[in-house]
């Protein structure tokens, strides 16, 4: 059984040894990971692991050797993680395919946006105003319906009809513009 306060004295000694070992530990990890920007993360992980395992350290033994052994295992763990992550990288061919798809997606969105603008012009002014006011606002539908003097159900039905009309108009415009190309 430890005398009172011996636990805090042991912990203070441990913290002192850990603090004293920081520069050598950093140099050791950086030597094992030359040019790797993740070395700082591995050093941090090593310090965390050393702290977690502090009760395993035998006072009077070589603290630096014990800490370096933990650091070596953390470097190895990091390398294993990198190897696993490397398997998840995309091939150059897949990256080109994805990039091409994104370009096509952007073109499609631009065409849809242009069609939406034209379709909005074809709506009655009061319908266009209702849509613009509703979707420019973040207020709850109940508050919006009170503000415009209509029932919630009536607003829902009108908005649904307008959205359907716009969707049909957009699709028709895209089909028509596709026929011209």
């Amino acid at each position: 059984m430890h005398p009172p306060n011996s636990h805090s004295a042991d912990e203070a000694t441990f913290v002192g040894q850990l603090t004293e070992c920081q520069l050598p530990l950093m140099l050791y990890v950086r030597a094992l990971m030359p040019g790797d920007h993740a070395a700082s993360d591995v050093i941090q992980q090593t310090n965390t692991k050393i702290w977690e395992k502090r009760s395993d350290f035998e006072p009077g033994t070589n603290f630096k050797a014990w800490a370096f052994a933990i650091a070596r295992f953390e470097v190895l763990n990091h390398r294993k993680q990198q190897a696993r992550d490397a398997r998840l990288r995309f091939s150059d061919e897949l990256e080109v395919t994805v990039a091409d798809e994104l370009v096509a997606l952007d073109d499609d969105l631009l065409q849809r946006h242009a069609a939406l603008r034209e379709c909005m012009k074809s709506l009655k002014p009061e319908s266009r105003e209702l849509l613009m006011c509703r979707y420019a606002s973040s207020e709850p539908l109940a508050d919006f319906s009170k503000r415009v003097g209509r029932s919630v159900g009536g607003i829902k039905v009108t908005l649904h009809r307008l959205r359907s009309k716009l969707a049909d108009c957009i699709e028709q415009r895209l089909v028509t513009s596709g026929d011209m190309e």
Side-chain angles (χ1 to χ4, degrees):
M1 183 169 192
H2 293 289
N5 294 332
S6 74
H7 180 67
S8 60
D10 289 346
E11 202 162 275
T13 301
F14 185 87
V15 168
Q17 288 177 313
L18 180 58
T19 303
E20 199 174 289
C21 191
Q22 285 304 292
L23 181 59
L25 189 62
M26 181 184 69
L27 294 173
Y28 179 71
V29 170
R30 290 194 186 279
L32 292 175
M33 301 175 67
D36 192 333
H37 297 292
S40 299
D41 294 335
V42 172
I43 293 164
Q44 185 63 39
Q45 185 61 37
T46 298
N47 279 314
T48 301
K49 189 63 74 173
I50 288 170
W51 185 254
E52 289 171 0
K53 293 179 162 281
R54 68 187 179 277
S55 63
D56 296 347
F57 178 69
E58 296 287 344
T61 62
N62 187 336
F63 183 87
K64 189 165 111 177
W66 179 77
F68 278 24
I70 292 172
R72 189 169 58 83
F73 283 113
E74 290 304 313
V75 169
L76 291 173
N77 285 338
H78 173 74
R79 287 184 184 149
K80 285 179 190 172
Q81 183 63 44
Q82 276 186 317
R84 280 192 298 268
D85 290 347
R87 284 180 277 170
L88 299 176
R89 290 203 175 123
F90 295 133
S91 69
D92 290 341
E93 184 180 322
L94 180 59
E95 286 182 12
V96 168
T97 302
V98 169
D100 290 345
E101 289 293 325
L102 289 173
V103 168
L105 182 63
D106 282 347
D107 288 344
D108 183 55
L109 288 175
L110 289 173
Q111 289 173 344
R112 287 184 172 279
H113 191 258
L116 173 61
R117 276 196 312 265
E118 291 304 312
C119 291
M120 286 290 288
K121 290 178 186 175
S122 70
L123 293 177
K124 294 178 185 173
E126 56 272 6
S127 295
R128 191 170 43 248
E129 180 73 21
L130 178 69
L131 279 168
M132 297 300 284
C133 287
R134 175 61 193 136
Y135 292 112
S137 169
S138 61
E139 69 184 320
L141 187 59
D143 294 345
F144 177 77
S145 65
K146 285 179 189 170
R147 187 164 55 84
V148 296
R150 293 183 54 188
S151 71
V152 171
I155 291 285
K156 282 183 178 181
V157 168
T158 302
L159 289 173
H160 176 72
R161 286 183 183 151
L162 290 171
R163 285 191 307 263
S164 294
K165 185 175 181 178
L166 284 173
D168 292 343
C169 177
I170 290 168
E171 290 307 314
Q172 184 59 44
R173 284 188 172 276
L174 291 174
V175 167
T176 304
S177 70
D179 289 343
M180 291 180 198
E181 292 175 11

